[in-house]
Amino acid sequence: MTIEKTILSSLLFNEEYGRRAIPFIKDEYFKDINDRVIFNLIHEYLNKYNAFPSKEALVIDLSNRKDLNEQQFKDSTSTIENLSSDPNTKITWLLDQTEKFCQDQALFNAISKSIKLMSDEKAEISKGSIPQLLSDALAVSFDTH
């Protein structure tokens, strides 16, 4: 199981983890479109109902989306059906791994955006913003103090 699938599973099956981790997770951290769609469904459900969805609720919400092609729908449904929980997994380990994942992805995204800025003459933001992009990425942390 990948860290992305572990995060999605833990959001569904471990409310304590979900409440502590979700404020720091961004959809842009998920490379796979299906994982990103599922994360957004979880996040939208949480914002609307202040609770985490069941797998059944996710599949129903997924079926109401009109922006997915048939293959994306099938792959996302399969991913949801395969999400499961291991009650023996320690929440501190989950949070540490999720924080590392978020930090790595934030840095990867910042570097990718910086490379695009360097090669794009018509970029929307200036090359001078690269240090801030990198600084923001390096500042990703689950520490609320």
Side-chain angles (χ1 to χ4, degrees):
M1 184 177 279
T2 65
I3 185 63
E4 292 91 339
K5 302 298 189 279
T6 301
I7 289 169
L8 294 173
S9 292
S10 298
L11 288 173
L12 287 185
F13 298 110
N14 188 330
E15 185 165 351
E16 180 185 358
Y17 163 83
R19 298 272 177 203
R20 291 174 63 183
I22 203 156
F24 304 102
I25 304 171
K26 297 181 180 178
D27 67 344
E28 66 195 44
Y29 296 162
F30 294 93
K31 293 177 193 161
D32 183 81
I33 185 69
N34 301 312
D35 293 345
R36 188 177 302 146
V37 166
I38 294 166
F39 173 76
N40 282 325
L41 289 172
I42 293 169
H43 197 260
E44 291 165 7
Y45 189 98
L46 178 64
N47 285 339
K48 187 170 184 176
Y49 301 107
N50 195 28
F52 288 91
S54 64
K55 288 179 10 175
E56 292 79 11
L58 281 180
V59 172
I60 291 168
D61 286 348
L62 181 66
S63 67
N64 291 328
R65 299 232 0 200
K66 305 295 183 215
D67 60 335
L68 302 175
N69 64 39
E70 187 174 336
Q71 189 60 48
Q72 289 171 325
F73 176 78
K74 285 180 181 178
D75 292 345
S76 295
T77 302
S78 174
T79 297
I80 292 169
E81 293 301 325
N82 289 319
L83 294 178
S84 62
S85 174
D86 180 356
N88 296 320
T89 303
K90 300 288 184 222
I91 192 166
T92 52
W93 179 86
L94 277 172
L95 289 167
D96 286 347
Q97 293 302 309
T98 304
E99 181 177 30
K100 183 182 180 317
F101 167 77
C102 291
Q103 290 168 339
D104 291 348
Q105 290 308 118
L107 187 57
F108 177 84
N109 291 346
I111 291 170
S112 297
K113 194 170 189 175
S114 298
I115 291 169
K116 285 181 186 174
L117 282 174
M118 293 302 295
S119 62
D120 186 1
E121 295 291 327
K122 300 174 186 171
E124 294 176 15
I125 57 177
S126 73
K127 293 174 184 165
S129 64
I130 291 173
Q132 188 60 47
L133 286 172
L134 295 173
S135 178
D136 291 347
L138 292 170
V140 171
S141 173
F142 283 23
D143 185 9
T144 57
H145 294 95

